[in-house]
Amino acid sequence: MSWSGSSHTSDVSTPPTCPALAHLGLPPEHLPYYLYSHPEVTAAVRNDTECYRQHRALLPCWGYEEDCPPESRYSPPVCAQEWEKGKRHKLSNTEQFWWQAGFGYASEQRRQLVTLCEARSQEDSWLECSHYARYCRGRNLYLDFRRLKIHENHFGKRFRRDILGPGDIGGHCKVITDRLKNMAGHEVHGLMSWYAELENFTSLNFRPTAGNENCDVILDTPTYFMKLDLGINMYHHFCDFLNLYISQHVNGSFSTDVNIIVWDTSGRSYKDMFGDTWRAFTDHPLIHLKNYDGKRVCVREAIFPLLPRIALGLYYNLPLVPGCKNSGLVRAFSRHVLYRLGIDHGQPQDGRLRVTFLSRTTQFRQVLNEDQVRRAPSEARWP
């Protein structure tokens, strides 16, 4: 296996060429990129000639690493033209597209991270977020769900704002109030920001997860809280999965030993037609927020990932540079999910064209001549 260049055509059934990193569950072609952004792992496999190159600078990189040169980025985009005539831009079309729909998007989220609650010791809590609380992560957090009362809100709103008041969410750290308030502005829709859930974050006089009487439940496993889009629609639900994958890059971890808690404040069931996809992200069953109704939950490591309907986020209603294609981020997501699910999609046979047609059974946006389209291949006269 070659680790140079940008060729990503290896099959999902390719056996691991680096046993020391097999536990990561990453596609073989993604391992050198992982090593580049995790030098501590590189050092651990330094003596394994199959896993390590003597000159780490020769390894390719995702693109969001501070020392990653543009020519080494994963699967760079391609644009029909570099500059639009009659318009002045600081960046070329290729570079703009990379920031909008490539790993530049993950880079921007990492760059925006600011501390909202500052730890004073190693045992303390802390919380940090990107702009408008689009992505947040914290340590040793306390969440009191005694106001949740899902049985009283069975058919209510999925993302209520009244369940975490002052003192119901927080940590043993110093809240930087002005920074927290500056996160407001995009919480109009529950799937755009985590500010509605975090706006009452409070400095507490006890340390969550320290084995005290303030916690009914302590989650030791890293935990992702997720607000989900429509589970019956592939377009919308894969917005959830793609943003979870991007959040893993922002967080710097692809472990499947994680909890995923579905944040839904109603008692309604969530119909998930693509539930098998969760196996690419966690080894454990999904947990629903209603499981903690009436309980005080303490979390050692909490991640509030990027949401599916962020303003100008990926990929709901995102305007892109026209004439550009080949998002390395989307390509990596596809390879990651296919590899972890063990799906071998194969390659098209010579002289044959593969067509995938998605049929809608809803009232709106149907293909009116779907029957005609489905019959066409069998009725066509091929040369």
Side-chain angles (χ1 to χ4, degrees):
M1 180 183 77
S2 172
W3 282 0
S4 60
S6 299
S7 177
H8 312 290
T9 58
S10 63
D11 190 86
V12 293
S13 60
T14 302
T17 58
C18 184
L21 299 178
H23 67 283
L24 295 173
L26 296 176
E29 70 267 29
H30 288 183
L31 290 178
Y33 298 87
Y34 183 87
L35 288 177
Y36 192 100
S37 57
H38 293 77
E40 72 284 358
V41 179
T42 306
V45 297
R46 188 181 300 274
N47 296 325
D48 190 331
T49 56
E50 288 186 285
C51 301
Y52 179 74
R53 270 191 172 182
Q54 184 176 1
H55 302 290
R56 178 175 163 268
L58 297 177
L59 290 176
C61 40
W62 295 115
Y64 52 72
E65 301 89 344
E66 291 184 3
D67 57 349
C68 177
E71 62 272 15
S72 295
R73 291 173 181 169
Y74 178 89
S75 191
V78 177
C79 296
Q81 60 182 28
E82 281 300 293
W83 304 94
E84 291 186 59
K85 294 181 179 179
K87 292 186 178 180
R88 291 186 177 183
H89 295 292
K90 293 182 179 179
L91 300 174
S92 67
N93 286 342
T94 299
E95 196 70 5
Q96 286 187 70
F97 187 82
W98 184 79
W99 283 102
Q100 289 177 335
F103 279 106
Y105 183 73
S107 177
E108 183 63 13
Q109 298 303 317
R110 290 163 66 100
R111 186 193 66 81
Q112 291 178 5
L113 287 172
V114 295
T115 300
L116 303 183
C117 200
E118 192 172 41
R120 296 171 179 170
S121 70
Q122 190 65 31
E123 296 76 27
D124 273 356
S125 311
W126 61 265
L127 176 71
E128 63 179 3
C129 295
S130 62
H131 291 177
Y132 299 111
R134 292 167 175 153
Y135 167 92
C136 301
R137 61 187 177 189
R139 180 183 69 203
N140 297 334
L141 303 188
Y142 170 82
L143 299 97
D144 186 345
F145 292 116
R146 287 180 291 185
R147 294 181 188 223
L148 184 53
K149 299 179 180 179
I150 280 184
H151 64 282
E152 298 178 6
N153 186 49
H154 189 70
F155 297 105
K157 294 181 179 179
R158 291 182 58 208
F159 311 119
R160 286 162 46 205
R161 298 187 58 169
D162 61 346
I163 67 169
L164 294 174
D168 292 335
I169 182 170
H172 192 269
C173 49
K174 181 183 179 182
V175 174
I176 306 174
T177 306
D178 57 338
R179 289 185 186 176
L180 179 58
K181 289 182 178 179
N182 286 339
M183 292 287 156
H186 282 202
E187 66 277 9
V188 177
H189 194 293
L191 295 176
M192 294 176 66
S193 167
W194 287 101
Y195 181 75
E197 288 73 26
L198 298 173
E199 64 177 324
N200 291 315
F201 198 91
T202 307
S203 294
L204 304 175
N205 60 6
F206 62 90
R207 287 190 171 93
T209 72
N212 53 58
E213 68 281 0
N214 296 289
C215 305
D216 299 312
V217 178
I218 296 179
L219 300 177
D220 293 317
T221 303
T223 300
Y224 285 80
F225 292 96
M226 293 195 65
K227 295 189 287 187
L228 301 178
D229 210 323
L230 296 173
I232 60 173
N233 182 290
M234 184 176 184
Y235 175 91
H236 289 286
H237 201 11
F238 269 76
C239 255
D240 298 318
F241 296 126
L242 176 61
N243 279 282
L244 177 55
Y245 178 68
I246 300 170
S247 298
Q248 289 182 318
H249 278 276
V250 179
N251 194 45
S253 173
F254 301 92
S255 172
T256 52
D257 185 17
V258 297
N259 296 319
I260 294 180
I261 297 178
V262 179
W263 192 289
D264 188 336
T265 58
S266 75
R268 292 178 287 176
S269 60
Y270 180 81
K271 189 173 182 179
D272 193 340
M273 297 182 66
F274 305 93
D276 287 343
T277 312
W278 292 113
R279 291 189 289 111
F281 300 98
T282 179
D283 296 328
H284 310 294
L286 296 190
I287 302 171
H288 294 270
L289 196 65
K290 60 185 178 183
N291 290 10
Y292 301 119
D293 194 354
K295 297 179 180 178
R296 299 165 299 171
V297 179
C298 297
V299 189
R300 293 199 187 278
E301 183 180 346
I303 301 98
F304 300 86
L306 293 162
L307 293 161
R309 300 203 186 192
I310 291 174
L312 302 181
L314 279 172
Y315 45 81
Y316 190 85
N317 286 338
L318 174 65
L320 291 172
V321 177
C324 295
K325 60 182 181 179
N326 195 36
S327 164
L329 177 55
V330 175
R331 186 188 189 110
F333 165 73
S334 173
R335 287 293 301 127
H336 182 84
V337 171
L338 289 173
Y339 183 80
R340 284 199 165 172
L341 296 182
I343 298 174
D344 181 5
H345 67 290
Q347 297 297 325
Q349 298 179 17
D350 291 339
R352 302 193 67 179
L353 179 67
R354 176 188 292 151
V355 177
T356 300
F357 187 90
L358 298 180
S359 178
R360 295 181 64 94
T361 57
T362 56
Q363 182 179 355
F364 304 102
R365 292 184 288 173
Q366 294 182 353
V367 177
L368 298 180
N369 64 335
E370 180 175 329
D371 291 341
Q372 181 183 358
V373 173
R374 293 169 66 112
R375 290 196 310 269
S378 59
E379 296 175 354
R381 293 184 178 180
W382 303 101

